[in-house]
C-alpha cells in the first residue's frame, strides 16, 4: 500500500526527534521511569496507570467519511461517521499541539506474512505507550528499518482534548480513523489498547480486498502440525487456551487466513491478568513478571513492589503487554497451515449453554454471525458486571465492513479446508452469574484438548434441546453431568426459563441477518417454545 500525499505531509509535519526514534526496550524503560510514567515491579515488569479510562471507548471511535472507503464501510454505532473537515481540524490542531513536544516514535509491522503485512509508524506522547506498541506489533530488522516507509500512521496523544462543539466528537476523547489518509488519531485517553485495536480495524478493512480473512481469534499448532483457531471476545479465553504448553502459539488475538494458511498480525500478547494463576497459566504469569512487560492498572505494593494480581481496585480489566518471545512455545514465524479445528468461545453469563458442542456448517455460520458472549466487567467503560452481548463475527467493534463479508469468507474457508467447528462455553455453570460458578479451566482445557487431538471425533453427540448443537455424551477428563448444563442446576425449571430467554435473545438479534442468509442457516439457531 502506498502512502497518500496527506499521510506523507502529516508525517513530514510531525517533527521526529531521532534521539527518541525506535528506542530499545531498556531505553524506553529508563525514559518511562525518568518521566514518572510507571513503577518498576519486583519481577522486572513496568506498572502503569491508564488514568480515567481503563478500557476502550467505542462510543468515541469514528471513521472518516471519505471517497475511497465510504461505500464499503458498515456505517452505524460501530463505525460512526466523521467528516473530512472535522478530521482535518483535529489533525491540524493535534500536530500544532505536539510541535513543542518530543514524541516517541516506533516503526513497526502488522502481519507476520510479508506478503500481507502493513508498515505502521506509531507516535506516542509517553515512553511506556511506545514500549506497548513495540511489544504488541512486529519489530523490523535493522535492514528493514533502513528502508522503512509507513503505510499507516498512528498519532497517540492522551493529553490532547478534542472539542465536541467545533470538531463533531461526543466528548474530549477521540479515536478517528481516516482510511484515505491512512492515519489514526487518538486523543483524550491513555488506554493503550486503542493503539492495537485501531490497526486491527485497518487490517479488517484492507485484507478482505486481498482475499485474506481477518479474524478476532488466537491460533496455535499441535505436535501433529495441525493448526487451530480460537474465536472470542475479551475475557472468553483466547489467550489462556491458545497458550497451551503442548502446542506452539501462533498468536493470541488477531489472525489472518490466506490461501497459504494462517498468520499472526502481532508481535506480542495483551493478556487479561485479573486473578492470574501461576499454576493454571504459568507462561502468562512468568511473562507478566518479566523485564520488558507493561502491566496496565495492576495494583502494586509501593514498598516491596510486589504485584497483587487478584486486586480489581482499579479495574477488572488489568492487562499485561509482552513480546511473543516471552512465551516459551511461541512460533518463530507467526505462521501455520490451514486450521483443522475452529473453536468459537463464549462466556455465557446465563449459564445455559453446553461447555462444548460440535457445529454443522450452517450452525457455524449462525453462531459466528451471532457472536454471543458476556461483556465482562472493565473491558469497556461503564460495564461493571457481565452483560449479554451479541458481537457479530466475535468482533463487531473492529469490523469496518458489513459482517456478512467476513462470515461468507469464513464459511468458504471452512468448507474448502474441511475444518471442524466447535462452540466452547468458558462462562458459567450451575446457574447464571451471581448464582453459579465459572467453568473449571481444567475441564475446559480437557474438552479443548479432546477436540484438537481427535478424541471427540468418534464420540456420539446429541442435540441440545434448545440450542440444537451437538453435545458429546462423554469427554476424557470431564464428568458427564458437566457436559449437560441443565444437570448442573439445582432448579431445573429455572434453567429451562433461562435457556428459553437466551434463545429468544438469539432470535431477536439474528433478525437483522435473516434476509442475507439461506433458510438452512436461519433454521440453525436456538428454538423457542
Amino acid at each position: 500500500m502506498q502512502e497518500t500525499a496527506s499521510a506523507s505531509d502529516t508525517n513530514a509535519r510531525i517533527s521526529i526527534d531521532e534521539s527518541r526514534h525506535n528506542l530499545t526496550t531498556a531505553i524506553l524503560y529508563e525514559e518511562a521511569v525518568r518521566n514518572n510514567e510507571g513503577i518498576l515491579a519486583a519481577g522486572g515488569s513496568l506498572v502503569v496507570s491508564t488514568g480515567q479510562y481503563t478500557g476502550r471507548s467505542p462510543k468515541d471511535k469514528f471513521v472518516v467519511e471519505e471517497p475511497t472507503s465510504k461505500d464499503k464501510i458498515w456505517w452505524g454505532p460501530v463505525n460512526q461517521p466523521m467528516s473530512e473537515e472535522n478530521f482535518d481540524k483535529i489533525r491540524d490542531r493535534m500536530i500544532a499541539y505536539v510541535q513543542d513536544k518530543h514524541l516517541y516514535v516506533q516503526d513497526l509491522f502488522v502481519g507476520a506474512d510479508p506478503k500481507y503485512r502493513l508498515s505502521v509508524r506509531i507516535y506516542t506522547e509517553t515512553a511506556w505507550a511506545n514500549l506497548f506498541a513495540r511489544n504488541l506489533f512486529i519489530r523490523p530488522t535493522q535492514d528493514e528499518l533502513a528502508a522503512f516507509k509507513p503505510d499507516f500512521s498512528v498519532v497517540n496523544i492522551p493529553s490532547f482534548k478534542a472539542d465536541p462543539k467545533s470538531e463533531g466528537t461526543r466528548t474530549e476523547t477521540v479515536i478517528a480513523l481516516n482510511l484515505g489518509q491512512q492515519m489514526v488519531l487518538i486523543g483524550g485517553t491513555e488506554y493503550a489498547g486503542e493503539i492495537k485495536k485501531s490497526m486491527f480495524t485497518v487490517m479488517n478493512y484492507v485484507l478482505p480486498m486481498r482475499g485474506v480473512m481477518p479474524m478476532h481469534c488466537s491460533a496455535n499448532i499441535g505436535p501433529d502440525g495441525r493448526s487451530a483457531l480460537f474465536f472470542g471476545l475479551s475475557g472468553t479465553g483466547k489467550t489462556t487456551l491458545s497458550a497451551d504448553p503442548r502446542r506452539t502459539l501462533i498468536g493470541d488475538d488477531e489472525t489472518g487466513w490466506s490461501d497459504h494458511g494462517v498468520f499472526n498480525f502481532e508481535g506480542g500478547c495483551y493478556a487479561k491478568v485479573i486473578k492470574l494463576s501461576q499454576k493454571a497459566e504459568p507462561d502468562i504469569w512468568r511473562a507478566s513478571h518479566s523485564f520488558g512487560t507493561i502491566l496496565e492498572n495492576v495494583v502494586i505494593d509501593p514498598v516491596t513492589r510486589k504485584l497483587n494480581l487478584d486486586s480489581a481496585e482499579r479495574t477488572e480489566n488489568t492487562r499485561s503487554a509482552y513480546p511473543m518471545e516471552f512465551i516459551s512455545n511461541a512460533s518463530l514465524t507467526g505462521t501455520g497451515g490451514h486450521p483443522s479445528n475452529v473453536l468459537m468461545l463464549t462466556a455465557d453469563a446465563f449459564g445455559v449453554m453446553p461447555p462444548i458442542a460440535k457445529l454443522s456448517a450452517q450452525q457455524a455460520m449462525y453462531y459466528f454471525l451471532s457472536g454471543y458472549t458476556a461483556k465482562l466487567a472493565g473491558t469497556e467503560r461503564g460495564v461493571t458486571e457481565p452483560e449479554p452481548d451479541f458481537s457479530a463475527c466475535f468482533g463487531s467493534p473492529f469490523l469496518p465492513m458489513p459482517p456478512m463479508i467476513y462470515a461468507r469468507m469464513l464459511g468458504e474457508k471452512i468448507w474448502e479446508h474441511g475444518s471442524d467447528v466447535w462452540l466452547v462455553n468458558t462462562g458459567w455453570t450451575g446457574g447464571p452469574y451471581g448464582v453459579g460458578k465459572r467453568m473449571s479451566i481444567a475441564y475446559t482445557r480437557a474438552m479443548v484438548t479432546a477436540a484438537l487431538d481427535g478424541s471427540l471425533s468418534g464420540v456420539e453427540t446429541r442435540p441440545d434441546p434448545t440450542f440444537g448443537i451437538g453435545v458429546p455424551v462423554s469427554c476424557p477428563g470431564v464428568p458427564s453431568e458437566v457436559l449437560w448444563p441443565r444437570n448442573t442446576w439445582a432448579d431445573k425449571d429455572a434453567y429451562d426459563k433461562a435457556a428459553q430467554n437466551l434463545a429468544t435473545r438469539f432470535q431477536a438479534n439474528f433478525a437483522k441477518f435473516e434476509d442475507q442468509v439461506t433458510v438452512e442457516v436461519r433454521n440453525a439457531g436456538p428454538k423457542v417454545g
Side-chain angles (χ1 to χ4, degrees), residues 147-319:
F148 191 90
K149 292 183 179 180
D151 296 321
F152 264 81
S153 298
V154 177
V155 187
N156 178 57
I157 313 296
S159 67
F160 175 87
K161 308 297 183 185
D163 183 352
K165 290 185 179 179
S166 66
E167 294 167 345
T169 59
R170 187 182 69 94
T171 67
E172 293 181 335
T173 298
V174 61
I175 303 97
L177 167 60
N178 189 321
L179 290 160
Q181 294 187 21
Q182 295 159 226
M183 183 179 307
V184 180
L185 304 177
I186 301 172
T189 174
E190 296 178 68
Y191 184 66
E194 301 288 9
I195 300 172
K196 162 188 159 71
K197 290 303 186 185
S198 65
M199 284 309 299
F200 181 42
T201 302
V202 169
M203 293 293 273
N204 282 337
Y205 175 79
V206 171
L207 290 186
M209 291 183 282
R210 302 182 66 186
V212 178
M213 168 71 184
M215 303 172 292
H216 189 213
C217 72
S218 57
N220 63 23
I221 311 170
D224 57 1
R226 288 154 49 105
S227 299
L229 302 180
F230 301 78
F231 283 95
L233 293 174
S234 174
T236 57
K238 290 194 311 300
T239 298
T240 298
L241 294 174
S242 57
D244 184 335
R246 296 162 297 184
R247 298 174 64 85
T248 300
L249 179 66
I250 296 174
D252 82 322
D253 191 47
E254 302 170 5
T255 309
W257 190 350
S258 73
D259 291 339
H260 309 293
V262 297
F263 63 95
N264 190 14
F265 288 174
E266 303 180 289
C269 299
Y270 192 37
K272 288 191 74 169
V273 291
I274 189 70
K275 295 181 171 58
L276 182 69
S277 165
Q278 183 177 10
K279 180 180 179 181
E281 300 172 89
D283 274 343
I284 300 173
W285 193 93
R286 183 172 55 253
S288 300
H289 290 76
S290 298
F291 178 85
T293 292
I294 295 288
L295 293 178
E296 291 181 336
N297 304 309
V298 169
V299 173
I300 182 174
D301 187 294
V303 178
T304 66
R305 302 298 175 92
K306 290 184 177 180
L307 303 174
N308 182 357
L309 297 177
D310 291 333
S311 176
E313 178 182 326
R314 296 177 185 169
T315 178
E316 293 232 2
N317 193 37
T318 53
R319 291 278 180 168

Side-chain angles (χ1 to χ4, degrees), residues 315-332:
T315 178
E316 293 232 2
N317 193 37
T318 53
R319 291 278 180 168
S320 177
Y322 50 86
M324 188 66 65
E325 59 263 28
F326 282 18
I327 299 297
S328 59
N329 62 328
S331 166
L332 296 177

Side-chain angles (χ1 to χ4, degrees), residues 488-508:
T488 67
W489 284 51
D491 187 338
K492 302 299 190 284
D493 289 338
Y495 169 84
D496 293 338
K497 291 179 181 178
Q500 284 292 294
N501 177 50
L502 183 56
T504 300
R505 290 172 180 254
F506 263 99
Q507 289 190 355

Side-chain angles (χ1 to χ4, degrees), residues 17-37 40 44 46 103-106 124 126-132 134-135 142 291-294:
D17 181 346
E18 288 302 327
S19 68
R20 297 188 175 197
H21 192 190
N22 291 325
L23 296 183
T24 62
T25 296
I27 297 176
L28 287 169
Y29 252 58
E30 291 174 350
E31 291 282 313
V33 172
R34 183 183 298 119
N35 299 341
N36 294 315
E37 296 172 9
L40 192 63
L46 184 67
L103 302 182
Y104 296 90
V105 183
Q106 286 284 328
T124 66
T126 60
W128 82 258
N130 212 247
L131 178 56
F132 173 93
R134 181 177 170 84
N135 283 353
Q142 287 303 311
F291 178 85
T293 292
I294 295 288

Side-chain angles (χ1 to χ4, degrees), residues 80-141:
Q80 302 176 95
M82 172 180 281
S83 70
E84 292 182 277
E85 178 185 5
N86 282 336
F87 180 88
D88 290 346
K89 284 182 184 177
I90 296 171
R91 181 201 61 197
D92 292 345
R93 197 162 64 82
M94 185 178 283
I95 291 172
Y97 179 81
V98 302
Q99 284 307 304
D100 61 347
K101 296 181 181 290
H102 295 281
L103 302 182
Y104 296 90
V105 183
Q106 286 284 328
D107 293 332
L108 302 159
F109 292 131
V110 188
D113 187 335
K115 184 176 181 180
Y116 300 110
R117 74 186 181 191
L118 293 180
S119 56
V120 58
R121 177 162 288 166
I122 310 285
Y123 301 87
T124 66
E125 188 173 14
T126 60
W128 82 258
N130 212 247
L131 178 56
F132 173 93
R134 181 177 170 84
N135 283 353
L136 266 293
F137 295 118
I138 297 171
R139 294 169 293 286
T141 65

